[in-house]
Amino acid sequence: MSEKGGESGGDIEITVKFGGRSIKVSVSADCTVKDLKSILQPLTDVLPRGQKLIYKGKLLVDDMTLKKSEVTNGAKLMLVASQGLHQGGGPILKDAPTRPISRTENDYKKTGKAVEVVVDKNRSERWKATGVIALSECNLKDIPDEVWACGSSARLLDISKNTIQDVPTKIGCLTSIQKLYIDANGLLDESIQWEGLTSLKHLTLLSINHNCLTTLPSALGALTSLRQLLIANNKLTSLPIEIGFLTQLEVLRANNNRIRSIPACIGDCGSLIEVDLSSNLLSELPETTGNLHHLKVHTGSLSSINFVYLVFSCLS
């Protein structure tokens, strides 16, 4: 999730401990505890009324905002589920339309197909209600059709750590999506239909780490609302010159690629705060990086032959 936060009314990142897992969530500091529980429902499979959130030994009150509850960026909360209000054996999100990965043959004999249909319907309703579609590590080969049915209700889509090989044009129907995670799917250049992605005018975070991309198209420049671009651990050899159109971009993580040069137009990305270009094949940076006056975090490469240590502040 997003690592932004710390300012009043802005997004904060918190970690919720539940069932031996650490669930990272990015939310507004002004959202209520009740809103947070709704976001956690599809991630934990626990109904909001069955959730008890504890922070620093105190039980959080539904009607209070996170800010008034003194929950700050980086806070760690504990979730306790009331007996009888847990909705099943593990997150329902695992029960994708493809073959489920956590049910046995006996489970199907007991539940029957009709029950599975109801589960899928409830899942879709939760997605529409919360705006959060969490399908990471669900053994998916394709994006389920029920995702598209969410339309403008969807704000976040996480389909990371699957084996999805096609991000189709119809992703453009998620017109209100703000954060998109498609990490670790083994995506190739032809796997992403960029004409669909570029219609997502509200997209602020695009995460496509740990794939097999060798190039990014010029269409990337159409995502002018983008604030975080996470493209680490691919096989990229360059960045498109259209990256200069991303004037609201604050975080660029392109480490562990094969990038040999950075386009001069990077200097037009004047909102950049954090840049990571480590573990690439760079030998120099364009002089225009001196225009990036808001940089607070900058990481380059320090290695042997053909590598140099790149520190943006030296160029400003």
Side-chain angles (χ1 to χ4, degrees):
M1 297 274 177
S2 172
E3 294 185 10
K4 289 177 56 184
E7 297 183 2
S8 176
D11 284 355
I12 60 173
E13 183 178 87
I14 61 177
T15 301
V16 179
K17 299 285 188 179
F18 174 69
R21 294 186 296 147
S22 295
I23 304 170
K24 290 189 176 182
V25 183
S26 179
V27 294
S28 169
D30 291 324
C31 86
T32 64
V33 173
K34 186 176 181 180
D35 292 334
L36 175 58
K37 288 181 178 181
S38 295
I39 293 173
L40 289 173
Q41 179 182 347
L43 303 178
T44 63
D45 195 26
V46 180
L47 295 172
R49 67 177 185 273
Q51 298 180 30
K52 293 183 180 180
L53 289 170
I54 301 171
Y55 179 56
K56 292 185 176 180
K58 295 182 179 180
L59 184 66
L60 299 184
V61 180
D62 280 357
D63 294 333
M64 290 185 65
T65 66
L66 296 180
K67 184 166 57 178
K68 289 185 178 180
S69 302
E70 300 181 343
V71 177
T72 57
N73 189 49
K76 295 181 180 179
L77 282 62
M78 178 180 293
L79 171 60
V80 179
S82 298
Q83 187 174 4
L85 292 176
H86 196 279
Q87 294 175 238
I92 290 179
L93 296 174
K94 298 283 186 179
D95 299 336
T98 53
R99 183 179 178 180
I101 62 176
S102 60
R103 289 185 176 271
T104 64
E105 185 176 349
N106 288 333
D107 290 328
Y108 286 109
K109 292 178 180 178
K110 293 177 182 178
T111 60
K113 184 177 293 185
V115 174
E116 289 180 44
V117 172
V118 173
V119 168
D120 285 344
K121 181 179 180 181
N122 289 341
R123 178 172 69 173
S124 298
E125 290 174 351
R126 287 200 306 275
W127 289 349
K128 292 178 181 178
T130 64
V132 177
I133 306 174
L135 289 170
S136 177
E137 296 184 270
C138 289
N139 198 32
L140 298 175
K141 294 183 179 180
D142 299 289
I143 302 175
D145 287 338
E146 58 191 311
V147 169
W148 315 130
C150 292
S152 60
S153 300
R155 294 182 295 107
L156 182 152
L157 173 61
D158 185 356
I159 51 175
S160 302
K161 298 181 181 179
N162 287 291
T163 55
I164 294 171
Q165 286 297 295
D166 181 31
V167 180
T169 304
K170 66 174 69 174
I171 198 169
C173 74
L174 306 178
T175 53
S176 298
I177 203 80
Q178 298 174 22
K179 298 179 181 181
L180 177 60
Y181 298 86
I182 47 180
D183 307 307
N185 274 281
L187 293 171
L188 303 173
D189 294 337
E190 59 270 22
S191 300
I192 302 176
Q193 306 305 313
W194 285 91
E195 57 268 33
L197 278 182
T198 54
S199 62
L200 303 178
K201 301 304 181 183
H202 300 287
L203 191 67
T204 61
L205 184 151
L206 175 60
S207 184
I208 46 179
N209 298 312
H210 294 279
N211 284 293
C212 301
L213 303 176
T214 64
T215 184
L216 294 175
S218 59
L220 179 70
L223 296 174
T224 53
S225 295
L226 210 59
R227 294 186 178 182
Q228 297 190 57
L229 178 59
L230 313 180
I231 51 176
N233 296 93
N234 278 281
K235 299 178 181 180
L236 298 172
T237 58
S238 63
L239 298 177
I241 59 174
E242 288 79 9
I243 197 171
F245 295 138
L246 307 183
T247 56
Q248 296 188 55
L249 192 66
E250 297 176 355
V251 178
L252 172 61
R253 295 179 189 163
N255 52 293
N256 293 94
N257 279 286
R258 302 172 183 176
I259 298 172
R260 293 182 176 275
S261 63
I262 301 296
C265 59
I266 193 72
D268 296 330
C269 301
S271 299
L272 276 171
I273 297 173
E274 176 185 340
V275 176
D276 189 350
L277 296 169
S278 60
S279 300
N280 276 288
L281 303 177
L282 294 165
S283 59
E284 61 180 1
L285 290 175
E287 293 183 2
T288 53
T289 53
N291 299 331
L292 305 178
H293 300 298
H294 299 292
L295 278 178
K296 295 179 180 179
V297 180
H298 34 72
T299 308
S301 302
L302 180 60
S303 187
S304 55
I305 302 175
N306 296 328
F307 283 66
V308 294
Y309 187 53
L310 304 172
V311 181
F312 285 166
S313 59
C314 291
L315 300 174
S316 60

